[in-house]
């Protein structure tokens, strides 16, 4: 099984390889990857979809000049098709529990990520109560990851931790959205609509709405200079 926490990195690398040049993923691209992950689309399906989209693009490019692919959303339909094909073909198998030891995520690095996020929330100037409560919970989780130096640290379930962080971020986002002025929220929606405009014909209604929501969430956190809690955003240093 592919490393659970390589999801973002491997998608980015495959897209760049097939495009033939380094292109930093946009906020929209990252929102799309988050949506795929939250929807439970396997990494292999995303990679197959990217390959299928570029194979089709390269065939058409030989027949007529086509505009260069500049965003991951261009592959959205092919990814969903690959996911459906894999789902139909799969007989189903139990997923192995991912632990800090077999994933390569050292306990101290995970704890440091949680503490850094807590410190950033301490400096927040919006939704004070929610930010402080989230920071406190992150420190508790960091202590659990470290395990006090005993054998408990070896039993940390990173997938379970990631689910906890997802819940915390959803609650934090709800508090931020409630505190944000209407003009800011309207502006974020307009920005999302503008960014997604070139890809609307390539995405289903449900998928489009999910990406819009992820995009707006990411932009709201950026606006208030608040951290992403997911371990996908943990420093690789």
């Amino acid at each position: 099984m592919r490393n659970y926490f390589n999801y973002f990195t491997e998608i980015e690398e495959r897209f760049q390889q097939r495009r033939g040049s380094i292109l930093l993923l946009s906020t929209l691209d990252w929102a799309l990857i988050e949506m795929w992950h939250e929807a439970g689309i396997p990494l292999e399906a995303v990679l197959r979809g990217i390959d299928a989209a570029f194979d089709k693009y390269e065939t058409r490019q030989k027949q007529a000049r086509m505009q260069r692919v500049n965003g991951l959303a261009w592959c959205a339909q092919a990814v969903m098709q690959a996911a459906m094909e894999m789902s139909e073909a799969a007989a189903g198998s139990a997923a192995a529990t991912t632990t800090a030891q077999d994933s390569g995520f050292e306990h101290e690095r995970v704890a440091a990520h949680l503490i850094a996020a807590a410190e950033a929330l301490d400096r927040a100037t919006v939704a004070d109560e929610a930010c402080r409560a989230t920071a406190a919970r992150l420190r508790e989780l960091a202590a659990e990851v470290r395990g006090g130096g005993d054998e408990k640290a070896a039993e940390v379930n990173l997938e379970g931790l990631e689910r906890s962080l997802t819940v915390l971020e959803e609650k934090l986002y709800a508090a931020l959205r409630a505190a944000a002025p209407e003009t800011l929220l309207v502006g974020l929606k307009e920005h999302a609509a503008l960014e997604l405009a070139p890809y609307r014909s390539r995405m289903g209604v449900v998928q489009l709405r999910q990406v819009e929501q992820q995009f707006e969430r990411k932009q709201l956190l950026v606006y208030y200079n608040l951290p992403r809690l997911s371990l996908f955003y943990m420093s690789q240093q």
Side-chain angles (χ1 to χ4, degrees), residues 174-214:
L176 291 176
R177 201 171 189 282
E182 180 182 345
T183 53
L184 172 60
L185 297 177
V186 171
L188 293 180
K189 284 188 175 295
E190 291 176 345
H191 188 190
L194 182 63
E195 290 288 331
L196 281 164
Y199 308 106
R200 288 186 179 277
S201 63
R202 304 190 62 84
M203 302 170 73
V205 175
V206 174
Q207 186 181 29
L208 186 65
R209 181 55 187 153
Q210 289 175 324
V211 175
E212 286 177 338
Q213 291 173 339
Q214 288 289 358

Side-chain angles (χ1 to χ4, degrees), residues 106-184:
E106 300 85 351
H107 298 101
E108 191 54 41
R109 285 181 58 225
V110 173
H113 167 74
L114 300 177
I115 293 298
E119 292 174 346
L121 288 168
D122 286 338
R123 298 189 293 269
T125 58
V126 63
D128 290 347
E129 184 176 348
C131 287
R132 302 299 177 264
T134 304
R137 178 57 181 149
L138 290 174
R139 289 187 170 90
E140 290 177 358
L141 291 172
E144 292 175 11
V145 169
R146 286 175 171 144
D150 59 26
E151 294 181 356
K152 287 179 63 179
E155 301 174 359
V156 174
N157 182 337
L158 292 184
E159 290 194 37
L161 175 58
E162 180 66 22
R163 284 191 288 271
S164 293
L165 295 177
T166 297
V167 170
L168 286 175
E169 188 167 293
E170 288 174 349
K171 292 170 67 176
L172 178 61
Y173 173 70
L176 291 176
R177 201 171 189 282
E182 180 182 345
T183 53
L184 172 60

